[in-house]
Amino acid sequence: MKHILVWHRRDLRTTDNAALLAATQDGIPVPVFVIDPFFFREKRETCDDRILFMRECLEDLQEQYRQKGSELQILYGNTPDVLVELAEQLNARVYYNFDTNMPFGRTRDNKIAGNNRFKGFSSDAIIRTPYNRTEWREHCTKHFQTPIPELPKNLPLPPQLKQILLAEIMHTYGIKKQKQNVPKGGTASAKKRLLDFLSRIQEYPRSISSPNTAENGCSRISAHLSFGCMSIREVYQATRKYTKQSRAQAFFLARLYWNQHFTQKMQDFPQLSTTAVNPVFATQGEYDEEKTRAWKEGRTGYPLVDASIRCLKQTGWINFRMRAMIASFYCDLLNQPWQIGADFMHYHLIDADTAINYAQWQMQAGVVGAHPPRIYNPIKQAYEQDPEGTFIKQWVPELQETPLERIHEPHKPTLLIELIPQKYPAPIIELSTATQQARNRYKQTIQQARNALKQPEIRTRASLSAWKKRT
């Protein structure tokens, strides 16, 4: 039988892996993962801790293969060159699972697209051919509910290749742990977290908005999903198997559709990470270095914004409500370009998912145009989501001694001037003014588009033909 290279990418698992399954049926699987120098360039897309998380995922995948009598081999070099050379040496084909990627991934995949040694498979619910949008959810549901094929219990030992040690490559590039409370990577950790979450899923709907309850109330498997330690289908079927029908179950399952929905959007619009979906908003935001620095450092003068930014930088995670709020604050209230904020968040997130992160940033910035931007009030959010100031005091130590009545608005005018924390900065914007300016900018942009199209009656959604076809 011929050797077949199984090229792992964002599918660091052996179960529900279409490429691996096909390789076991067509030949002798030779599982490989290629560490590309691109991962370690000076201005890379991700932080050290995400790379360390990936290392744990790869070590777990190695163990999965060892338990089946096989071996995952870690290679190093320019990915297309390494795989083409190896395929020629072994006279092998290369099987891989399709993925929806950032520009680097698309460029890499384009290099091998015309090589008949490479064959791609679908291990997700994404449609990669022309389709009728009304059929998408039915297609997704069918994928989720299709039984997962089982792999053979034992796999043949592949030939030994010239590989590298993960520890060695981490040392060479000086990759070091910088964040705290990062979950352990790998399929074993993912399954343990999922089962623990499913045992208390009824708490989920009321836990996700507050940063105080979301850390334990959410599933926290998003980082594992971003590396493919489990498939979305595995999570869907486990949820249906281990929980009863309820509002909480439906709420969580909807998030799985939501995951694939945004990946589909990026598949349909590959420029999602760099280009506004709606060209009407292509020039949104006026870059201000001082405002951007204050936002990135968590020194905006708005406690919940600053706490969220600092938590993101120190842990690599914040809950979705806080992600939306700090995105809205940066784009709407500070009037900054969404790409800069989205890149910053993508860099720090351990669970960085390109499609979800950039699609959500575009939506929060209002550059999709399908609806007016949702402008979050950071003071209102602080009172509602952190009423005791617990999260704020944890991440903004300058405010730890601030009385509760002042924790959400430490610079609010008062007779007790001495209570204003001297080390905490004053707000960099006046909230009501910035909010009104954001609304005015949006209305002006829409009106200018209507005038340019000479269709004064045009509705916002109707002006977005490109996006409309994709939604």
Side-chain angles (χ1 to χ4, degrees):
M1 297 180 72
K2 287 189 174 183
H3 292 112
I4 297 177
L5 293 169
V6 180
W7 174 25
H8 283 276
R9 294 125 65 87
R10 287 207 309 151
D11 57 344
L12 304 185
R13 62 181 185 274
T14 55
T15 56
D16 198 13
N17 189 311
L20 174 58
L21 178 65
T24 66
Q25 297 168 342
D26 297 345
I28 299 175
V30 182
V32 299
F33 183 88
V34 183
I35 293 184
D36 199 293
F38 175 86
F39 294 168
F40 307 100
R41 75 198 194 289
E42 184 177 352
K43 293 184 178 180
R44 59 179 185 265
E45 297 166 356
T46 193
C47 62
D48 280 13
D49 291 86
R50 183 166 163 82
I51 293 176
L52 292 173
F53 185 90
M54 179 185 73
R55 172 186 174 175
E56 293 175 344
C57 295
L58 288 170
E59 290 172 339
D60 183 277
L61 184 57
Q62 286 178 319
E63 181 59 28
Q64 292 178 54
Y65 274 110
R66 287 174 187 147
Q67 290 179 5
K68 290 184 173 295
S70 183
E71 182 181 359
L72 172 72
Q73 301 186 65
I74 310 296
L75 313 178
Y76 176 81
N78 179 273
T79 304
D81 294 343
V82 169
L83 292 171
V84 169
E85 180 181 352
L86 189 55
E88 291 177 351
Q89 288 177 1
L90 297 177
N91 190 26
R93 299 197 70 187
V94 182
Y95 285 6
Y96 65 97
N97 290 306
F98 291 122
D99 192 14
T100 300
N101 270 305
M102 296 258 298
F104 165 74
R106 295 196 300 273
T107 301
R108 175 202 62 197
D109 291 358
N110 288 338
K111 289 181 179 179
I112 55 93
N115 190 319
N116 59 14
R117 287 188 181 274
F118 288 75
K119 184 177 181 180
F121 295 83
S122 179
S123 251
D124 54 26
I126 306 308
I127 303 175
R128 295 180 169 85
T129 56
Y131 67 99
N132 185 331
R133 189 66 180 85
T134 59
E135 301 170 355
W136 186 85
R137 186 175 179 86
E138 180 181 346
H139 167 84
C140 190
T141 299
K142 182 178 179 180
H143 172 78
F144 283 166
Q145 296 182 354
T146 299
I148 298 172
E150 290 189 11
L151 279 175
K153 291 184 178 180
N154 297 300
L155 299 174
L157 188 66
Q160 292 299 300
L161 307 175
K162 186 179 180 180
Q163 55 181 318
I164 63 166
L165 298 176
L166 285 169
E168 179 182 310
I169 200 72
M170 298 298 150
H171 175 74
T172 298
Y173 285 99
I175 304 301
K176 297 180 180 179
K177 180 177 177 60
Q178 298 171 336
K179 301 186 187 301
Q180 61 191 63
N181 300 328
V182 175
K184 183 176 177 59
T187 298
S189 173
K191 289 182 176 179
K192 181 178 180 181
R193 280 181 171 272
L194 177 61
L195 291 177
D196 175 65
F197 167 72
L198 294 179
S199 70
R200 49 184 173 77
I201 194 173
Q202 297 306 320
E203 305 168 14
Y204 179 62
R206 58 178 177 270
S207 300
I208 63 173
S209 295
S210 169
N212 295 308
T213 56
E215 184 175 1
N216 295 318
C218 292
S219 69
R220 296 302 306 274
I221 61 170
S222 52
H224 303 88
L225 291 177
S226 73
F227 281 102
C229 299
M230 284 190 301
S231 70
I232 294 286
R233 177 161 62 178
E234 288 180 282
V235 178
Y236 179 93
Q237 294 188 10
T239 303
R240 294 279 297 269
K241 180 179 180 179
Y242 294 112
T243 66
K244 297 179 180 179
Q245 286 190 347
S246 64
R247 174 175 174 269
Q249 185 202 68
F251 199 66
F252 182 64
L253 292 178
R255 290 299 190 273
L256 304 182
Y257 282 92
W258 184 76
N259 175 295
Q260 296 291 273
H261 165 78
F262 283 110
T263 304
Q264 184 71 62
K265 284 191 176 298
M266 189 164 190
Q267 176 67 32
D268 296 343
F269 186 65
Q271 302 83 13
L272 187 66
S273 64
T274 58
T275 307
V277 169
N278 185 346
V280 168
F281 298 94
T283 59
Q284 182 261 14
E286 298 177 2
Y287 179 67
D288 184 299
E289 184 175 355
E290 291 186 7
K291 287 181 178 178
T292 295
R293 184 186 301 112
W295 180 81
K296 287 184 176 181
E297 293 177 355
R299 297 190 60 78
T300 68
Y302 288 89
L304 190 59
V305 172
D306 295 339
S308 298
I309 289 286
R310 297 184 195 186
C311 179
L312 168 66
K313 292 170 68 175
Q314 293 184 49
T315 71
W317 187 84
I318 49 173
N319 65 313
F320 177 74
R321 176 64 67 90
M322 297 303 101
R323 298 185 197 197
M325 181 194 66
I326 63 177
S328 171
F329 187 90
Y330 185 72
C331 298
D332 299 325
L333 299 181
L334 297 187
N335 188 30
Q336 298 302 293
W338 64 270
Q339 295 95 330
I340 295 173
D343 287 346
F344 173 84
M345 185 175 286
H346 182 87
Y347 175 86
H348 282 287
L349 286 171
I350 304 300
D351 67 3
D353 181 292
T354 305
I356 295 175
N357 182 58
Y358 287 92
Q360 284 295 323
W361 267 85
Q362 291 215 35
M363 292 175 70
Q364 294 302 332
V367 299
V368 172
H371 49 73
R374 182 182 182 185
I375 303 174
Y376 282 77
N377 181 325
I379 296 176
K380 180 174 180 289
Q381 290 296 315
Y383 279 109
E384 292 179 353
Q385 306 304 337
D386 190 26
E388 301 299 319
T390 306
F391 182 73
I392 291 171
K393 290 185 177 182
Q394 178 181 358
W395 296 106
V396 186
E398 307 96 296
L399 299 177
Q400 285 183 351
E401 302 303 321
T402 304
L404 177 60
E405 60 271 19
R406 297 184 58 78
I407 191 69
H408 303 108
E409 300 178 84
H411 290 281
K412 186 176 182 179
T414 176
L415 294 176
L416 300 176
I417 302 297
E418 68 277 4
L419 291 179
I420 297 178
Q422 298 299 314
K423 294 182 180 179
Y424 188 65
I428 60 175
I429 54 167
E430 199 285 311
L431 184 59
S432 60
T433 301
T435 301
Q436 189 58 53
Q437 288 174 342
R439 290 172 178 158
N440 290 342
R441 284 193 303 272
Y442 184 83
K443 291 178 181 177
Q444 289 171 3
T445 302
I446 292 297
Q447 190 59 52
Q448 289 170 0
R450 289 170 173 166
N451 293 341
L453 293 170
K454 297 182 180 179
Q455 297 180 32
E457 75 286 354
I458 195 169
R459 292 181 296 112
T460 303
R461 184 179 295 274
S463 70
L464 309 175
S465 57
W467 183 255
K468 188 176 182 181
K469 291 178 181 177
R470 301 183 180 95
T471 56

